[in-house]
Amino acid sequence: MLILLRPAAVLLLAVLVAAAPSAVLLGASLVPMIIVQLRGRESLRALGARNLPILLFSLVFTALTVVPGEGPLSSKGGEAAMTVLKIAGVYNVVFTGGRWTGRRRFAGVVGHIPIERLRVYLVLLQAVTERLLRNSTQIVRQISLRLSTSGAGRLAVARYYFQNMASKELASMRHLQAAAILRLHGVPGSSAEKPRPRGEELAAFFYALALWAFYLYGIIA
Amino acid sequence: MIDLRIKGLRFDYPDGRRALDGVDLEVERGARMALIGRNGSGKTTLLLHVVGLLDGHGEIEVCGIPMSSASVHDIRKKAGYLFSHVEYQFIMPDLLGDVMLGCSPVSSSPEEKRIKAKEWLERFGLERYHDRSPLDLSSGEMKRAALAGIMAGDAELLLLDEPLGNLDREGAEHLLSVLTGLGRTMLFSTHRRYLVEKAATHVAVMARGRIDDVVPVKKALRSPAVLELIY
Ligand SMILES: Nc1ncnc2c1ncn2[C@@H]1O[C@H](COP(=O)(O)OP(=O)(O)OP(=O)(O)O)[C@@H](O)[C@H]1O
Ligand SMILES: [Mg+2]
């Protein structure tokens, strides 16, 4: 069960970020992952680069919800800003939390799921997602080498990106499917040994629980 | 004892292109057969048939089991396949988990599987990488990691599609010493003279979807027709 502590803490925090009605609670939910992030060695630049697409996405997304709205724009503006923050917040909690949790532990958590089909599904989903992310970086690199990425060039990049991504993804899934057919005789289990509990995951877990309690009992609005 | 027997195998891709045009081949237990031939001669297509990923007309028998839809699962347990795009071989997020996934028997406990997987990783010089994503490894390490996963499944027949890929000299030497030390029957496609010289016991020459000739490696390395196909 200890193996579930870290992922549980991350999940609790991520859901809290999404549910948080106020900036205070939102900020408080981010604290543990900010600490984890600070202890890691990711440069500010890398952090920015990784957040740029998701910020752009959430800006476009929320702009769409604001524009056709009736009533004063100012009140809507505040809400929209919260939505942007929340989307970026959840993304970062999941991403940083995922790193903190680690590959083995992810596999360990999946290995605990008692339903065989779900386990196979999750393992394959993880494999496809990981390749999607890797393909994505490679494609962006290739395309930006070949096309100028300014002004109208960007539209072309976007078009080629999606085409390229889709065909790469199809090829990748075909290969992965072949590998799965050949290799999945058994049921994927976990390679993780019994983890030793560490202070940090207990702390993060109870911090998340406490925030939830505060939120539910209305102590922090 | 014959580990692989193929008779009259024909296959057309869905677009109508004939890729195999009556392949006959026998590989004896313990033999390491190099499958050579120009690009597009049908090597990969042939290898895919042996594990039942493609389904042409003809007879295939692996370790005494005739290929059929009922027996294909048993055949896949006996035959290990190394993809030429080896990065697609990996399924689990961490290397140790991935090798454990291939461990047989399927019924053994996680603890037994872990020990076995660790032994294979050590044998392939990868004991430091248990936690890493297989996709983060270098191409040489990736080939070895994939092989560790195959070997953990006690494969008796190894099918290797371009096993050297773009390995450097040292990586190739390491892989070869591991491969030849395994004592398994092998059928591998390659364009590399180095691999044929160091690892093969026999050479099968493929052209336009057929196997023209199978010869012992010593004789093959004196044949101009063979030397034209490898470098
Ligand atoms: N998915 C496919 N659909 C249609 N035709 C294909 C497909 N895959 C391969 N072919 C064709 O079948 C023929 C044999 O291909 P195959 O991949 O087996 O060659 P190969 O000997 O492995 O070549 P290489 O040395 O380049 O790896 C080629 O003419 C190829 O164009
Ligand atoms: Mg090929």
Side-chain angles (χ1 to χ4, degrees):
Chain A
M1 277 335 249
L2 280 170
I3 202 166
L4 300 176
L5 217 50
R6 264 190 208 199
V10 173
L11 189 68
L12 283 174
L13 289 169
V15 177
L16 197 58
V17 168
S22 72
V24 179
L25 192 56
L26 185 88
S29 328
L30 288 174
V31 168
M33 288 305 121
I34 290 176
I35 295 174
V36 171
Q37 181 69 37
L38 287 176
R39 274 195 338 196
R41 304 215 187 295
E42 196 178 28
S43 68
L44 269 183
R45 208 185 145 147
L47 185 69
R50 155 161 96 61
N51 268 288
L52 195 64
I54 203 76
L55 277 175
L56 285 176
F57 164 76
S58 50
L59 277 174
V60 171
F61 176 75
T62 40
L64 287 179
T65 63
V66 171
V67 172
E70 292 156 30
L73 212 125
S74 57
S75 74
K76 283 238 164 193
E79 262 173 51
M82 270 299 272
T83 314
V84 172
L85 281 179
K86 278 183 179 180
I87 294 178
V90 170
Y91 165 75
N92 278 291
V93 167
V94 170
F95 194 96
T96 308
R99 264 192 198 167
W100 182 56
T101 303
R103 299 178 185 290
R104 296 275 288 281
R105 214 175 287 246
F106 168 82
V109 172
V110 172
H112 269 77
I113 296 173
I115 305 159
E116 180 179 326
R117 272 171 181 275
L118 186 60
R119 216 156 39 190
V120 172
Y121 172 77
L122 285 177
V123 162
L124 291 179
L125 182 71
Q126 184 277 336
V128 171
T129 316
E130 179 143 11
R131 280 172 179 77
L132 190 84
L133 292 176
R134 276 165 202 266
N135 281 349
S136 170
T137 341
Q138 291 225 337
I139 291 172
V140 169
R141 271 187 205 149
Q142 278 177 27
I143 290 177
S144 43
L145 274 183
R146 292 204 214 144
L147 296 170
S148 69
T149 34
S150 63
R154 280 184 204 201
L155 267 181
V157 169
R159 211 187 96 222
Y160 287 120
Y161 173 83
F162 284 113
Q163 268 179 11
N164 209 330
M165 192 78 189
S167 61
K168 266 250 166 74
E169 210 36 46
L170 283 178
S172 159
M173 266 147 87
R174 229 184 38 220
H175 283 113
L176 202 64
Q177 191 191 12
I181 289 174
L182 290 185
R183 297 196 57 214
L184 281 177
H185 305 303
V187 180
S190 123
S191 66
E193 284 156 76
K194 288 222 164 58
R196 271 179 242 114
R198 284 209 271 150
E200 58 183 295
E201 56 210 67
L202 280 173
F205 183 71
F206 285 114
Y207 181 86
L209 276 190
L211 278 186
W212 266 102
F214 288 166
Y215 167 53
L216 294 176
Y217 287 101
I219 297 173
I220 304 181
Chain B
M1 171 115 186
I2 308 272
D3 267 350
L4 174 64
R5 180 179 279 134
I6 298 174
K7 254 196 222 145
L9 187 63
R10 272 167 223 284
F11 178 74
D12 299 335
Y13 275 103
D15 61 2
R17 174 184 277 275
R18 171 139 304 181
L20 297 181
D21 193 15
V23 171
D24 297 301
L25 183 67
E26 286 190 354
V27 185
E28 284 192 33
R29 169 145 302 179
R32 294 191 293 267
M33 187 173 289
L35 190 58
I36 66 171
R38 292 183 200 291
N39 292 134
S41 56
K43 302 181 293 296
T44 302
T45 310
L46 177 59
L47 291 175
L48 288 172
H49 273 84
V50 180
V51 284
L53 283 176
L54 291 176
D55 186 19
H57 294 283
E59 290 167 34
I60 301 175
E61 196 181 292
V62 178
C63 302
I65 310 172
M67 173 77 71
S68 71
S69 51
S71 68
V72 70
H73 292 285
D74 295 324
I75 287 180
R76 284 173 186 162
K77 284 179 197 157
K78 302 238 177 230
Y81 195 103
L82 183 72
F83 286 82
S84 60
H85 297 283
V86 68
E87 60 274 23
Y88 293 114
Q89 188 113 10
F90 303 105
I91 293 173
M92 297 298 277
D94 62 308
L95 183 54
L96 185 61
D98 199 81
V99 176
M100 281 172 65
L101 179 73
C103 276
S104 73
V106 174
S107 56
S108 54
S109 76
E111 200 47 50
E112 289 165 338
K113 285 186 182 173
R114 189 174 303 122
I115 292 170
K116 193 170 180 186
K118 281 184 173 167
E119 276 170 14
W120 276 110
L121 283 173
E122 197 174 321
R123 201 152 154 193
F124 283 82
L126 294 166
E127 60 277 7
R128 287 183 296 118
Y129 298 138
H130 291 175
D131 282 336
R132 294 257 295 267
S133 163
L135 303 178
D136 284 337
L137 302 176
S138 80
S139 57
E141 291 162 347
M142 239 188 232
K143 294 261 181 195
R144 279 185 275 140
L147 267 176
I150 293 169
M151 292 312 297
D154 297 327
E156 288 171 32
L157 170 67
L158 297 182
L159 304 153
L160 316 170
D161 198 359
E162 319 244 7
L164 288 194
N166 56 350
L167 294 197
D168 66 8
R169 187 165 186 110
E170 200 188 337
E173 275 167 12
H174 192 156
L175 189 74
L176 278 186
S177 71
V178 178
L179 273 181
T180 50
L182 291 173
R184 300 295 152 91
T185 315
M186 291 178 204
L187 177 61
F188 53 86
S189 80
T190 188
H191 303 286
R192 306 305 302 268
R193 181 172 182 157
Y194 181 73
L195 183 61
V196 175
E197 276 174 2
K198 300 280 177 189
T201 59
H202 295 77
V203 175
V205 182
M206 198 158 187
R208 292 178 303 280
R210 285 163 168 277
I211 292 199
D212 285 345
D213 208 2
V214 179
V215 283
V217 67
K218 278 220 179 89
K219 194 173 161 210
L221 287 171
R222 286 195 305 266
S223 150
V226 167
L227 294 177
E228 210 168 77
L229 293 169
I230 51 181
Y231 65 99

